[in-house]
Amino acid sequence: MSPRRRGRSAGDATALPSLDAVNLPIAQARGLPNAVYTEPESLTLERERVFATTWACLGFASDLPQRSYALPITFLGLPLVIVRDRQATLRVFHNVCSHRGRRLVEAPGPVRATLRCPYHAWSYAPDGRLRGTPHIGGPGVHAVAGFDRARHGLNEVRSALWLGMIFVDLSGEAPSFEDHIRELTQRWQAFWGARGTSLLREAEGDETLRLEVNANWKLAVENYCESYHLPCVHPGLNSYSRLEDH
């Protein structure tokens, strides 16, 4: 850590440059300062004040290709794990053993019966319940009086599934997902018509496209929302989704 940054605390808004120039009238306004794209403090602040306070898309249900499957994912620095049980129900947990905080699932793959911590072998059911505590009371003693397993299960993250996408509410205090998405579904109703979401289907095989963008999330969003580059970069797209239409 450089001397310039020493002493900053994660999520400290005072460690970031002023955003006053962003809010000036358009003729005088400037874009976001560089630090908002590069400083870890900025990402921590965004996680706490933007993503953690509402519903955010974590991934796709299709990334879990079968029942009894676990997919670890790091979301804004937080280790999470998506679990699909034998009944195909999806749940999201903090990917942390409740005993010593060891990362529980290291790689995506099938789940046999339980999720087993590699440190002390505590095991959890796909619904997050603590199932096994080997040798907790000494060699060969797997239970102790006064220890309530029901209080030490995995920490579940509030989640919702919509059009094959998995959304999470890290705070657990956002409005219901139905309320969150209602305005969008009403807006899209004109395109869906009476058939609704049945018009949509999930792409398969060669139809799928995955982009791995090694950049700050805001750059990807800004590029997507900006149509100025279409004639130069995407002339084919610009032939039917024209710059002047945006």
Side-chain angles (χ1 to χ4, degrees):
M1 181 175 289
S2 67
R4 177 178 62 85
R5 292 175 55 194
R6 184 174 295 125
R8 293 180 181 178
S9 61
D12 182 3
T14 62
L16 298 174
S18 170
L19 302 181
D20 291 343
V22 178
N23 294 318
L24 292 173
I26 189 64
Q28 294 84 39
R30 299 182 64 86
L32 293 170
N34 292 348
V36 177
Y37 297 90
T38 60
E39 294 292 333
E41 293 88 350
S42 176
L43 190 61
T44 299
L45 195 65
E46 291 166 351
R47 183 185 73 195
E48 296 173 353
R49 298 191 182 181
V50 179
F51 292 98
T53 59
T54 187
W55 292 94
C57 185
L58 184 64
F60 296 91
S62 58
D63 290 335
L64 290 87
Q66 63 187 66
R67 301 188 181 204
S68 298
Y69 197 90
L71 174 67
I73 186 169
T74 300
F75 182 62
L76 296 170
L78 295 176
L80 304 177
V81 60
I82 308 170
V83 180
R84 188 195 294 273
D85 64 19
R86 293 179 180 177
Q87 289 72 43
T89 301
L90 289 169
R91 295 180 178 87
V92 180
F93 302 98
H94 288 276
N95 190 15
V96 175
C97 178
S98 62
H99 181 216
R100 289 291 186 185
R102 173 66 158 81
R103 191 182 296 265
L104 190 62
V105 180
E106 295 285 358
V111 176
R112 293 184 178 179
T114 60
L115 302 170
R116 184 175 179 272
C117 178
Y119 195 24
H120 294 108
W122 280 28
S123 60
Y124 302 85
D127 62 5
R129 290 176 295 117
L130 178 60
R131 294 276 296 274
T133 52
H135 313 294
I136 190 174
V141 181
H142 308 314
V144 292
F147 179 78
D148 184 3
R149 289 184 181 179
R151 297 180 55 196
H152 296 276
L154 296 181
N155 188 6
E156 185 170 0
V157 178
R158 189 182 180 202
S159 63
L161 182 65
W162 186 71
L163 298 182
M165 295 175 285
I166 303 168
F167 288 80
V168 292
D169 165 28
L170 295 176
S171 71
E173 299 177 353
S176 71
F177 184 77
E178 291 74 17
D179 289 340
H180 173 76
I181 208 69
R182 180 173 291 114
E183 185 175 346
L184 179 61
T185 56
Q186 290 174 348
R187 183 177 181 181
W188 284 3
Q189 187 61 43
F191 302 98
W192 287 341
R195 293 179 60 187
T197 58
S198 64
L199 288 172
L200 302 177
R201 65 178 180 83
E202 191 170 315
E204 298 179 354
D206 294 337
E207 295 179 323
T208 61
L209 173 66
R210 181 180 294 270
L211 297 176
E212 299 288 343
V213 182
N214 186 21
N216 184 277
W217 69 273
K218 293 186 293 298
L219 289 173
V221 173
E222 290 166 1
N223 180 76
Y224 180 81
C225 292
E226 180 253 290
S227 57
Y228 185 37
H229 68 284
L230 290 181
C232 296
V233 181
H234 307 295
L237 175 61
N238 191 64
S239 68
Y240 59 88
S241 181
R242 303 172 302 167
L243 173 60
E244 53 265 37
D245 295 333
H246 295 276

